[in-house]
Amino acid sequence: KGGQAGKDFLMDPVVVPAPDITADQLADADVVVLADVSRLPSAMAAAVADRTAAGAGLLVLAGPRADPDFYNAWDGPDGSVLPLKLEAESADEKGISLSSNTFRHESLAWAADERRSDLGGAVIRRWRKSVLQPGEGTLAAAFGNGDPFLATRGYGRGRCVVATCAFDGRAGNLPGRAAFVPLVHELVAWAAGGGVQWNLDPAWSPSVVLDSRSSGGLAAVYSKGDGKKERPMLERIDPSIDFHWGDEG
């Protein structure tokens, strides 16, 4: 478990062996990461699918232990959980690279410029062949040979993203790239970010319902005055942004 989440931490990970995960831990998770998990018990697989459909994120790292029979048959409230069908693992001693010109997904926009990111220089020696689910999966990034590296899909109110290789030294040199930590951060953040649509048309009275997966909201401090004379009059958590200030906004 990481440090106590708060002002100093954007994420608070909890590492649990797949067979030991509990319903309470799942209920508290904003994102579930299956890091080269072979399969889940049927009851837990159903619970993860339900949690994702309800608004959580799901990140699957399909490494050499991942069982395609399980993942390809994994269904839930919104159909197939994964955005692609996993096939057998491929290996290449020389390795294949990631194709930076396929980094069109919003979670990878920062990595598309090779002058700013070394992600495209990663060499992957073990990966899974895969095929996108028709009408459901979206290709987020590909290898230089055209095989999918990342695929995503919306699942109910949640989001799912799948990587077709492990994120450790077994797959290649990806963990050694400077872009590795930002990659993991952005994928987790994207998976967790399905609750609020911030791209709003200009309006005097915008209305946004914040993420209903938790009891949180927008921390707000209301003050009167200006500059150094401001004094907080009210501090609270607003579950939505739906204010009508009239001529006083």
Side-chain angles (χ1 to χ4, degrees):
K1 181 175 173 61
Q4 181 64 38
K7 294 182 179 179
D8 297 329
F9 293 91
L10 296 177
M11 299 178 185
D12 185 25
V14 179
V15 180
V16 182
D20 299 336
I21 191 170
T22 66
D24 288 342
Q25 290 170 330
L26 184 61
D28 289 338
D30 291 317
V31 179
V32 176
V33 181
L34 300 181
D36 200 18
V37 173
S38 59
R39 57 171 54 238
L40 294 173
S42 57
M44 184 53 62
V48 172
D50 289 345
R51 184 79 181 94
T52 306
L58 175 63
L59 171 58
V60 177
L61 308 180
R65 288 196 293 261
D67 184 351
D69 289 340
F70 164 74
Y71 286 101
N72 294 341
W74 191 9
D75 289 333
D78 195 23
S80 298
V81 175
L82 268 59
L84 44 69
K85 292 285 188 181
L86 297 176
E87 298 181 356
E89 190 180 35
S90 294
D92 186 326
E93 290 186 3
K94 294 182 178 180
I96 58 175
S97 63
L98 302 181
S99 178
S100 58
N101 62 6
T102 67
F103 296 173
R104 301 187 182 95
H105 191 263
E106 59 184 316
S107 65
L108 294 174
W110 59 275
D113 187 346
E114 293 185 348
R115 296 170 297 180
R116 300 174 56 193
S117 166
D118 64 353
L119 185 60
V123 176
I124 306 298
R125 296 182 175 86
R126 298 176 65 179
W127 72 98
R128 286 195 175 277
K129 294 282 188 178
S130 60
V131 179
L132 288 175
Q133 295 273 24
E136 296 177 351
T138 299
L139 181 66
F143 295 110
N145 66 354
D147 288 350
F149 166 54
L150 292 170
T152 65
R153 70 157 299 187
Y155 194 81
R157 292 172 51 215
R159 293 174 169 181
C160 176
V161 56
V162 179
T164 58
C165 67
F167 274 19
D168 57 34
R170 293 171 300 166
N173 70 356
L174 181 60
R177 312 304 288 181
F180 178 68
V181 171
L183 171 66
V184 175
H185 179 276
E186 291 302 310
L187 291 179
V188 172
W190 181 85
V196 180
Q197 173 56 259
W198 294 104
N199 294 324
L200 304 175
D201 293 330
W204 286 109
S205 302
S207 178
V208 178
V209 178
L210 300 177
D211 195 344
S212 60
R213 289 176 288 170
S214 68
S215 59
L218 184 71
V221 178
Y222 298 92
S223 304
K224 187 173 183 178
D226 54 17
K228 296 181 180 180
K229 297 181 179 180
E230 285 189 1
R231 293 185 178 182
M233 299 180 63
L234 175 65
E235 296 185 25
R236 70 183 188 188
I237 301 295
D238 289 313
S240 65
I241 301 173
D242 190 13
F243 306 130
H244 301 276
W245 302 107
D247 296 331
E248 301 179 7

PDB file of all heavy atoms in Angstrom, residues 94-127:
ATOM      1  N   LYS A  94      15.339  -9.897 -31.399  1.00  0.00           N
ATOM      2  CA  LYS A  94      15.758  -8.539 -31.736  1.00  0.00           C
ATOM      3  C   LYS A  94      14.750  -7.512 -31.230  1.00  0.00           C
ATOM      4  O   LYS A  94      15.104  -6.355 -30.983  1.00  0.00           O
ATOM      5  CB  LYS A  94      15.936  -8.399 -33.243  1.00  0.00           C
ATOM      6  CG  LYS A  94      17.075  -9.243 -33.807  1.00  0.00           C
ATOM      7  CD  LYS A  94      17.231  -9.010 -35.300  1.00  0.00           C
ATOM      8  CE  LYS A  94      18.390  -9.819 -35.857  1.00  0.00           C
ATOM      9  NZ  LYS A  94      18.552  -9.610 -37.322  1.00  0.00           N
ATOM     10  N   GLY A  95      13.509  -7.932 -31.101  1.00  0.00           N
ATOM     11  CA  GLY A  95      12.472  -7.059 -30.578  1.00  0.00           C
ATOM     12  C   GLY A  95      11.822  -6.191 -31.636  1.00  0.00           C
ATOM     13  O   GLY A  95      12.336  -6.025 -32.748  1.00  0.00           O
ATOM     14  N   ILE A  96      10.678  -5.651 -31.280  1.00  0.00           N
ATOM     15  CA  ILE A  96       9.964  -4.701 -32.125  1.00  0.00           C
ATOM     16  C   ILE A  96       9.767  -3.420 -31.335  1.00  0.00           C
ATOM     17  O   ILE A  96       9.746  -3.427 -30.101  1.00  0.00           O
ATOM     18  CB  ILE A  96       8.604  -5.264 -32.605  1.00  0.00           C
ATOM     19  CG1 ILE A  96       7.719  -5.632 -31.409  1.00  0.00           C
ATOM     20  CG2 ILE A  96       8.799  -6.463 -33.509  1.00  0.00           C
ATOM     21  CD1 ILE A  96       6.331  -6.083 -31.802  1.00  0.00           C
ATOM     22  N   SER A  97       9.628  -2.322 -32.023  1.00  0.00           N
ATOM     23  CA  SER A  97       9.484  -1.020 -31.370  1.00  0.00           C
ATOM     24  C   SER A  97       8.023  -0.607 -31.331  1.00  0.00           C
ATOM     25  O   SER A  97       7.167  -1.194 -31.998  1.00  0.00           O
ATOM     26  CB  SER A  97      10.312   0.039 -32.102  1.00  0.00           C
ATOM     27  OG  SER A  97       9.832   0.193 -33.430  1.00  0.00           O
ATOM     28  N   LEU A  98       7.756   0.415 -30.550  1.00  0.00           N
ATOM     29  CA  LEU A  98       6.440   1.031 -30.549  1.00  0.00           C
ATOM     30  C   LEU A  98       6.407   2.094 -31.640  1.00  0.00           C
ATOM     31  O   LEU A  98       7.395   2.780 -31.881  1.00  0.00           O
ATOM     32  CB  LEU A  98       6.146   1.677 -29.199  1.00  0.00           C
ATOM     33  CG  LEU A  98       6.209   0.753 -27.977  1.00  0.00           C
ATOM     34  CD1 LEU A  98       5.874   1.533 -26.715  1.00  0.00           C
ATOM     35  CD2 LEU A  98       5.277  -0.419 -28.140  1.00  0.00           C
ATOM     36  N   SER A  99       5.283   2.210 -32.313  1.00  0.00           N
ATOM     37  CA  SER A  99       5.146   3.160 -33.412  1.00  0.00           C
ATOM     38  C   SER A  99       4.550   4.457 -32.886  1.00  0.00           C
ATOM     39  O   SER A  99       3.334   4.543 -32.651  1.00  0.00           O
ATOM     40  CB  SER A  99       4.265   2.567 -34.522  1.00  0.00           C
ATOM     41  OG  SER A  99       4.094   3.478 -35.570  1.00  0.00           O
ATOM     42  N   SER A 100       5.386   5.481 -32.715  1.00  0.00           N
ATOM     43  CA  SER A 100       4.908   6.729 -32.120  1.00  0.00           C
ATOM     44  C   SER A 100       3.872   7.434 -32.982  1.00  0.00           C
ATOM     45  O   SER A 100       3.069   8.220 -32.468  1.00  0.00           O
ATOM     46  CB  SER A 100       6.085   7.668 -31.843  1.00  0.00           C
ATOM     47  OG  SER A 100       6.802   7.947 -33.024  1.00  0.00           O
ATOM     48  N   ASN A 101       3.848   7.163 -34.279  1.00  0.00           N
ATOM     49  CA  ASN A 101       2.843   7.823 -35.116  1.00  0.00           C
ATOM     50  C   ASN A 101       1.459   7.206 -34.949  1.00  0.00           C
ATOM     51  O   ASN A 101       0.503   7.663 -35.567  1.00  0.00           O
ATOM     52  CB  ASN A 101       3.261   7.843 -36.585  1.00  0.00           C
ATOM     53  CG  ASN A 101       3.412   6.457 -37.178  1.00  0.00           C
ATOM     54  OD1 ASN A 101       3.096   5.451 -36.531  1.00  0.00           O
ATOM     55  ND2 ASN A 101       3.927   6.381 -38.399  1.00  0.00           N
ATOM     56  N   THR A 102       1.344   6.147 -34.116  1.00  0.00           N
ATOM     57  CA  THR A 102       0.023   5.592 -33.792  1.00  0.00           C
ATOM     58  C   THR A 102      -0.466   6.062 -32.426  1.00  0.00           C
ATOM     59  O   THR A 102      -1.535   5.640 -31.985  1.00  0.00           O
ATOM     60  CB  THR A 102       0.050   4.053 -33.823  1.00  0.00           C
ATOM     61  OG1 THR A 102       0.877   3.555 -32.747  1.00  0.00           O
ATOM     62  CG2 THR A 102       0.589   3.538 -35.151  1.00  0.00           C
ATOM     63  N   PHE A 103       0.304   6.932 -31.760  1.00  0.00           N
ATOM     64  CA  PHE A 103      -0.090   7.407 -30.437  1.00  0.00           C
ATOM     65  C   PHE A 103      -1.127   8.521 -30.586  1.00  0.00           C
ATOM     66  O   PHE A 103      -0.863   9.693 -30.334  1.00  0.00           O
ATOM     67  CB  PHE A 103       1.117   7.949 -29.672  1.00  0.00           C
ATOM     68  CG  PHE A 103       2.172   6.932 -29.348  1.00  0.00           C
ATOM     69  CD1 PHE A 103       3.367   7.330 -28.787  1.00  0.00           C
ATOM     70  CD2 PHE A 103       1.990   5.586 -29.594  1.00  0.00           C
ATOM     71  CE1 PHE A 103       4.358   6.420 -28.478  1.00  0.00           C
ATOM     72  CE2 PHE A 103       2.969   4.654 -29.302  1.00  0.00           C
ATOM     73  CZ  PHE A 103       4.161   5.073 -28.745  1.00  0.00           C
ATOM     74  N   ARG A 104      -2.331   8.165 -30.974  1.00  0.00           N
ATOM     75  CA  ARG A 104      -3.373   9.157 -31.191  1.00  0.00           C
ATOM     76  C   ARG A 104      -4.376   9.232 -30.038  1.00  0.00           C
ATOM     77  O   ARG A 104      -5.207  10.123 -30.002  1.00  0.00           O
ATOM     78  CB  ARG A 104      -4.104   8.869 -32.504  1.00  0.00           C
ATOM     79  CG  ARG A 104      -3.188   8.882 -33.723  1.00  0.00           C
ATOM     80  CD  ARG A 104      -3.980   8.772 -35.013  1.00  0.00           C
ATOM     81  NE  ARG A 104      -3.108   8.748 -36.175  1.00  0.00           N
ATOM     82  CZ  ARG A 104      -2.674   7.650 -36.764  1.00  0.00           C
ATOM     83  NH1 ARG A 104      -3.058   6.465 -36.308  1.00  0.00           N
ATOM     84  NH2 ARG A 104      -1.874   7.699 -37.811  1.00  0.00           N
ATOM     85  N   HIS A 105      -4.308   8.280 -29.135  1.00  0.00           N
ATOM     86  CA  HIS A 105      -5.235   8.276 -28.015  1.00  0.00           C
ATOM     87  C   HIS A 105      -4.890   9.400 -27.045  1.00  0.00           C
ATOM     88  O   HIS A 105      -3.731   9.785 -26.889  1.00  0.00           O
ATOM     89  CB  HIS A 105      -5.183   6.922 -27.294  1.00  0.00           C
ATOM     90  CG  HIS A 105      -6.275   6.732 -26.304  1.00  0.00           C
ATOM     91  ND1 HIS A 105      -6.107   6.979 -24.962  1.00  0.00           N
ATOM     92  CD2 HIS A 105      -7.552   6.324 -26.455  1.00  0.00           C
ATOM     93  CE1 HIS A 105      -7.241   6.721 -24.333  1.00  0.00           C
ATOM     94  NE2 HIS A 105      -8.129   6.328 -25.207  1.00  0.00           N
ATOM     95  N   GLU A 106      -5.903   9.950 -26.371  1.00  0.00           N
ATOM     96  CA  GLU A 106      -5.684  11.102 -25.489  1.00  0.00           C
ATOM     97  C   GLU A 106      -4.715  10.796 -24.356  1.00  0.00           C
ATOM     98  O   GLU A 106      -3.998  11.695 -23.891  1.00  0.00           O
ATOM     99  CB  GLU A 106      -7.016  11.596 -24.922  1.00  0.00           C
ATOM    100  CG  GLU A 106      -7.782  10.561 -24.119  1.00  0.00           C
ATOM    101  CD  GLU A 106      -9.137  11.077 -23.667  1.00  0.00           C
ATOM    102  OE1 GLU A 106      -9.190  12.227 -23.207  1.00  0.00           O
ATOM    103  OE2 GLU A 106     -10.119  10.336 -23.783  1.00  0.00           O
ATOM    104  N   SER A 107      -4.635   9.544 -23.925  1.00  0.00           N
ATOM    105  CA  SER A 107      -3.711   9.198 -22.851  1.00  0.00           C
ATOM    106  C   SER A 107      -2.265   9.163 -23.310  1.00  0.00           C
ATOM    107  O   SER A 107      -1.348   9.098 -22.483  1.00  0.00           O
ATOM    108  CB  SER A 107      -4.083   7.832 -22.252  1.00  0.00           C
ATOM    109  OG  SER A 107      -3.919   6.804 -23.217  1.00  0.00           O
ATOM    110  N   LEU A 108      -2.026   9.226 -24.624  1.00  0.00           N
ATOM    111  CA  LEU A 108      -0.673   9.144 -25.172  1.00  0.00           C
ATOM    112  C   LEU A 108      -0.265  10.386 -25.948  1.00  0.00           C
ATOM    113  O   LEU A 108       0.801  10.398 -26.571  1.00  0.00           O
ATOM    114  CB  LEU A 108      -0.547   7.924 -26.096  1.00  0.00           C
ATOM    115  CG  LEU A 108      -0.677   6.556 -25.434  1.00  0.00           C
ATOM    116  CD1 LEU A 108      -0.674   5.464 -26.482  1.00  0.00           C
ATOM    117  CD2 LEU A 108       0.446   6.336 -24.439  1.00  0.00           C
ATOM    118  N   ALA A 109      -1.063  11.426 -25.913  1.00  0.00           N
ATOM    119  CA  ALA A 109      -0.750  12.627 -26.691  1.00  0.00           C
ATOM    120  C   ALA A 109       0.616  13.197 -26.308  1.00  0.00           C
ATOM    121  O   ALA A 109       1.354  13.703 -27.159  1.00  0.00           O
ATOM    122  CB  ALA A 109      -1.845  13.676 -26.486  1.00  0.00           C
ATOM    123  N   TRP A 110       0.971  13.100 -25.040  1.00  0.00           N
ATOM    124  CA  TRP A 110       2.250  13.624 -24.547  1.00  0.00           C
ATOM    125  C   TRP A 110       3.447  12.865 -25.125  1.00  0.00           C
ATOM    126  O   TRP A 110       4.559  13.395 -25.155  1.00  0.00           O
ATOM    127  CB  TRP A 110       2.284  13.509 -23.026  1.00  0.00           C
ATOM    128  CG  TRP A 110       2.121  12.080 -22.568  1.00  0.00           C
ATOM    129  CD1 TRP A 110       0.949  11.425 -22.381  1.00  0.00           C
ATOM    130  CD2 TRP A 110       3.156  11.146 -22.285  1.00  0.00           C
ATOM    131  NE1 TRP A 110       1.166  10.132 -21.996  1.00  0.00           N
ATOM    132  CE2 TRP A 110       2.522   9.929 -21.928  1.00  0.00           C
ATOM    133  CE3 TRP A 110       4.549  11.210 -22.291  1.00  0.00           C
ATOM    134  CZ2 TRP A 110       3.238   8.789 -21.576  1.00  0.00           C
ATOM    135  CZ3 TRP A 110       5.265  10.073 -21.944  1.00  0.00           C
ATOM    136  CH2 TRP A 110       4.624   8.880 -21.589  1.00  0.00           C
ATOM    137  N   ALA A 111       3.250  11.609 -25.569  1.00  0.00           N
ATOM    138  CA  ALA A 111       4.356  10.758 -26.011  1.00  0.00           C
ATOM    139  C   ALA A 111       4.544  10.741 -27.517  1.00  0.00           C
ATOM    140  O   ALA A 111       5.482  10.113 -28.016  1.00  0.00           O
ATOM    141  CB  ALA A 111       4.138   9.329 -25.517  1.00  0.00           C
ATOM    142  N   ALA A 112       3.662  11.402 -28.258  1.00  0.00           N
ATOM    143  CA  ALA A 112       3.722  11.313 -29.716  1.00  0.00           C
ATOM    144  C   ALA A 112       4.945  12.035 -30.288  1.00  0.00           C
ATOM    145  O   ALA A 112       5.450  11.652 -31.351  1.00  0.00           O
ATOM    146  CB  ALA A 112       2.440  11.883 -30.326  1.00  0.00           C
ATOM    147  N   ASP A 113       5.425  13.052 -29.609  1.00  0.00           N
ATOM    148  CA  ASP A 113       6.583  13.806 -30.078  1.00  0.00           C
ATOM    149  C   ASP A 113       7.856  13.132 -29.571  1.00  0.00           C
ATOM    150  O   ASP A 113       8.161  13.162 -28.375  1.00  0.00           O
ATOM    151  CB  ASP A 113       6.511  15.243 -29.561  1.00  0.00           C
ATOM    152  CG  ASP A 113       7.601  16.137 -30.154  1.00  0.00           C
ATOM    153  OD1 ASP A 113       8.562  15.602 -30.748  1.00  0.00           O
ATOM    154  OD2 ASP A 113       7.474  17.372 -30.020  1.00  0.00           O
ATOM    155  N   GLU A 114       8.621  12.509 -30.476  1.00  0.00           N
ATOM    156  CA  GLU A 114       9.816  11.770 -30.081  1.00  0.00           C
ATOM    157  C   GLU A 114      10.908  12.686 -29.529  1.00  0.00           C
ATOM    158  O   GLU A 114      11.852  12.209 -28.898  1.00  0.00           O
ATOM    159  CB  GLU A 114      10.346  10.971 -31.271  1.00  0.00           C
ATOM    160  CG  GLU A 114       9.407   9.850 -31.692  1.00  0.00           C
ATOM    161  CD  GLU A 114       9.997   9.003 -32.791  1.00  0.00           C
ATOM    162  OE1 GLU A 114      11.016   9.411 -33.377  1.00  0.00           O
ATOM    163  OE2 GLU A 114       9.437   7.917 -33.061  1.00  0.00           O
ATOM    164  N   ARG A 115      10.790  13.994 -29.724  1.00  0.00           N
ATOM    165  CA  ARG A 115      11.762  14.917 -29.138  1.00  0.00           C
ATOM    166  C   ARG A 115      11.505  15.116 -27.654  1.00  0.00           C
ATOM    167  O   ARG A 115      12.398  15.558 -26.915  1.00  0.00           O
ATOM    168  CB  ARG A 115      11.699  16.263 -29.862  1.00  0.00           C
ATOM    169  CG  ARG A 115      12.092  16.208 -31.339  1.00  0.00           C
ATOM    170  CD  ARG A 115      11.774  17.512 -32.032  1.00  0.00           C
ATOM    171  NE  ARG A 115      10.341  17.782 -32.025  1.00  0.00           N
ATOM    172  CZ  ARG A 115       9.766  18.859 -32.572  1.00  0.00           C
ATOM    173  NH1 ARG A 115      10.533  19.787 -33.153  1.00  0.00           N
ATOM    174  NH2 ARG A 115       8.469  19.026 -32.529  1.00  0.00           N
ATOM    175  N   ARG A 116      10.309  14.773 -27.212  1.00  0.00           N
ATOM    176  CA  ARG A 116       9.943  14.975 -25.811  1.00  0.00           C
ATOM    177  C   ARG A 116       9.793  13.665 -25.050  1.00  0.00           C
ATOM    178  O   ARG A 116       9.750  13.666 -23.820  1.00  0.00           O
ATOM    179  CB  ARG A 116       8.626  15.760 -25.725  1.00  0.00           C
ATOM    180  CG  ARG A 116       8.672  17.131 -26.366  1.00  0.00           C
ATOM    181  CD  ARG A 116       7.294  17.774 -26.366  1.00  0.00           C
ATOM    182  NE  ARG A 116       6.740  17.848 -25.023  1.00  0.00           N
ATOM    183  CZ  ARG A 116       5.466  18.135 -24.758  1.00  0.00           C
ATOM    184  NH1 ARG A 116       4.637  18.384 -25.746  1.00  0.00           N
ATOM    185  NH2 ARG A 116       5.040  18.194 -23.531  1.00  0.00           N
ATOM    186  N   SER A 117       9.670  12.540 -25.749  1.00  0.00           N
ATOM    187  CA  SER A 117       9.414  11.260 -25.106  1.00  0.00           C
ATOM    188  C   SER A 117      10.231  10.157 -25.780  1.00  0.00           C
ATOM    189  O   SER A 117      10.363  10.139 -27.010  1.00  0.00           O
ATOM    190  CB  SER A 117       7.918  10.921 -25.190  1.00  0.00           C
ATOM    191  OG  SER A 117       7.692   9.566 -24.858  1.00  0.00           O
ATOM    192  N   ASP A 118      10.773   9.250 -24.972  1.00  0.00           N
ATOM    193  CA  ASP A 118      11.523   8.112 -25.522  1.00  0.00           C
ATOM    194  C   ASP A 118      10.692   6.840 -25.560  1.00  0.00           C
ATOM    195  O   ASP A 118      11.231   5.747 -25.721  1.00  0.00           O
ATOM    196  CB  ASP A 118      12.805   7.879 -24.712  1.00  0.00           C
ATOM    197  CG  ASP A 118      12.536   7.470 -23.264  1.00  0.00           C
ATOM    198  OD1 ASP A 118      11.351   7.500 -22.838  1.00  0.00           O
ATOM    199  OD2 ASP A 118      13.497   7.134 -22.554  1.00  0.00           O
ATOM    200  N   LEU A 119       9.357   6.970 -25.420  1.00  0.00           N
ATOM    201  CA  LEU A 119       8.504   5.786 -25.420  1.00  0.00           C
ATOM    202  C   LEU A 119       8.596   5.028 -26.744  1.00  0.00           C
ATOM    203  O   LEU A 119       8.610   3.793 -26.770  1.00  0.00           O
ATOM    204  CB  LEU A 119       7.053   6.179 -25.138  1.00  0.00           C
ATOM    205  CG  LEU A 119       6.060   5.020 -24.992  1.00  0.00           C
ATOM    206  CD1 LEU A 119       6.457   4.115 -23.839  1.00  0.00           C
ATOM    207  CD2 LEU A 119       4.641   5.555 -24.781  1.00  0.00           C
ATOM    208  N   GLY A 120       8.665   5.765 -27.859  1.00  0.00           N
ATOM    209  CA  GLY A 120       8.734   5.112 -29.154  1.00  0.00           C
ATOM    210  C   GLY A 120      10.006   4.306 -29.351  1.00  0.00           C
ATOM    211  O   GLY A 120      10.064   3.448 -30.239  1.00  0.00           O
ATOM    212  N   GLY A 121      11.019   4.541 -28.521  1.00  0.00           N
ATOM    213  CA  GLY A 121      12.263   3.799 -28.630  1.00  0.00           C
ATOM    214  C   GLY A 121      12.294   2.523 -27.817  1.00  0.00           C
ATOM    215  O   GLY A 121      13.314   1.816 -27.814  1.00  0.00           O
ATOM    216  N   ALA A 122      11.213   2.205 -27.124  1.00  0.00           N
ATOM    217  CA  ALA A 122      11.165   0.964 -26.346  1.00  0.00           C
ATOM    218  C   ALA A 122      11.247  -0.241 -27.277  1.00  0.00           C
ATOM    219  O   ALA A 122      10.706  -0.232 -28.383  1.00  0.00           O
ATOM    220  CB  ALA A 122       9.881   0.912 -25.519  1.00  0.00           C
ATOM    221  N   VAL A 123      11.926  -1.286 -26.817  1.00  0.00           N
ATOM    222  CA  VAL A 123      12.055  -2.524 -27.590  1.00  0.00           C
ATOM    223  C   VAL A 123      11.313  -3.626 -26.845  1.00  0.00           C
ATOM    224  O   VAL A 123      11.610  -3.931 -25.686  1.00  0.00           O
ATOM    225  CB  VAL A 123      13.532  -2.911 -27.778  1.00  0.00           C
ATOM    226  CG1 VAL A 123      13.642  -4.254 -28.498  1.00  0.00           C
ATOM    227  CG2 VAL A 123      14.272  -1.830 -28.562  1.00  0.00           C
ATOM    228  N   ILE A 124      10.342  -4.216 -27.489  1.00  0.00           N
ATOM    229  CA  ILE A 124       9.514  -5.267 -26.896  1.00  0.00           C
ATOM    230  C   ILE A 124       9.862  -6.600 -27.555  1.00  0.00           C
ATOM    231  O   ILE A 124       9.816  -6.722 -28.783  1.00  0.00           O
ATOM    232  CB  ILE A 124       8.015  -4.961 -27.072  1.00  0.00           C
ATOM    233  CG1 ILE A 124       7.685  -3.575 -26.519  1.00  0.00           C
ATOM    234  CG2 ILE A 124       7.167  -6.037 -26.400  1.00  0.00           C
ATOM    235  CD1 ILE A 124       7.945  -3.420 -25.039  1.00  0.00           C
ATOM    236  N   ARG A 125      10.191  -7.591 -26.744  1.00  0.00           N
ATOM    237  CA  ARG A 125      10.595  -8.895 -27.272  1.00  0.00           C
ATOM    238  C   ARG A 125       9.539  -9.976 -27.089  1.00  0.00           C
ATOM    239  O   ARG A 125       9.614 -11.023 -27.720  1.00  0.00           O
ATOM    240  CB  ARG A 125      11.908  -9.330 -26.615  1.00  0.00           C
ATOM    241  CG  ARG A 125      13.079  -8.410 -26.954  1.00  0.00           C
ATOM    242  CD  ARG A 125      14.381  -8.899 -26.339  1.00  0.00           C
ATOM    243  NE  ARG A 125      15.492  -8.073 -26.779  1.00  0.00           N
ATOM    244  CZ  ARG A 125      15.860  -6.941 -26.198  1.00  0.00           C
ATOM    245  NH1 ARG A 125      15.189  -6.503 -25.123  1.00  0.00           N
ATOM    246  NH2 ARG A 125      16.876  -6.241 -26.662  1.00  0.00           N
ATOM    247  N   ARG A 126       8.566  -9.726 -26.229  1.00  0.00           N
ATOM    248  CA  ARG A 126       7.469 -10.686 -26.014  1.00  0.00           C
ATOM    249  C   ARG A 126       6.160  -9.908 -25.935  1.00  0.00           C
ATOM    250  O   ARG A 126       6.034  -8.971 -25.143  1.00  0.00           O
ATOM    251  CB  ARG A 126       7.672 -11.482 -24.718  1.00  0.00           C
ATOM    252  CG  ARG A 126       8.920 -12.323 -24.696  1.00  0.00           C
ATOM    253  CD  ARG A 126       9.112 -12.994 -23.348  1.00  0.00           C
ATOM    254  NE  ARG A 126       8.065 -13.954 -23.040  1.00  0.00           N
ATOM    255  CZ  ARG A 126       8.027 -14.680 -21.919  1.00  0.00           C
ATOM    256  NH1 ARG A 126       8.966 -14.521 -20.992  1.00  0.00           N
ATOM    257  NH2 ARG A 126       7.063 -15.548 -21.710  1.00  0.00           N
ATOM    258  N   TRP A 127       5.208 -10.266 -26.760  1.00  0.00           N
ATOM    259  CA  TRP A 127       3.911  -9.591 -26.773  1.00  0.00           C
ATOM    260  C   TRP A 127       2.858 -10.562 -27.278  1.00  0.00           C
ATOM    261  O   TRP A 127       3.181 -11.604 -27.856  1.00  0.00           O
ATOM    262  CB  TRP A 127       3.959  -8.341 -27.656  1.00  0.00           C
ATOM    263  CG  TRP A 127       4.018  -8.621 -29.130  1.00  0.00           C
ATOM    264  CD1 TRP A 127       2.989  -8.614 -30.035  1.00  0.00           C
ATOM    265  CD2 TRP A 127       5.191  -8.998 -29.885  1.00  0.00           C
ATOM    266  NE1 TRP A 127       3.429  -8.943 -31.283  1.00  0.00           N
ATOM    267  CE2 TRP A 127       4.783  -9.176 -31.227  1.00  0.00           C
ATOM    268  CE3 TRP A 127       6.541  -9.203 -29.571  1.00  0.00           C
ATOM    269  CZ2 TRP A 127       5.664  -9.558 -32.243  1.00  0.00           C
ATOM    270  CZ3 TRP A 127       7.424  -9.584 -30.579  1.00  0.00           C
ATOM    271  CH2 TRP A 127       6.985  -9.755 -31.895  1.00  0.00           C
TER     272      TRP A 127
END
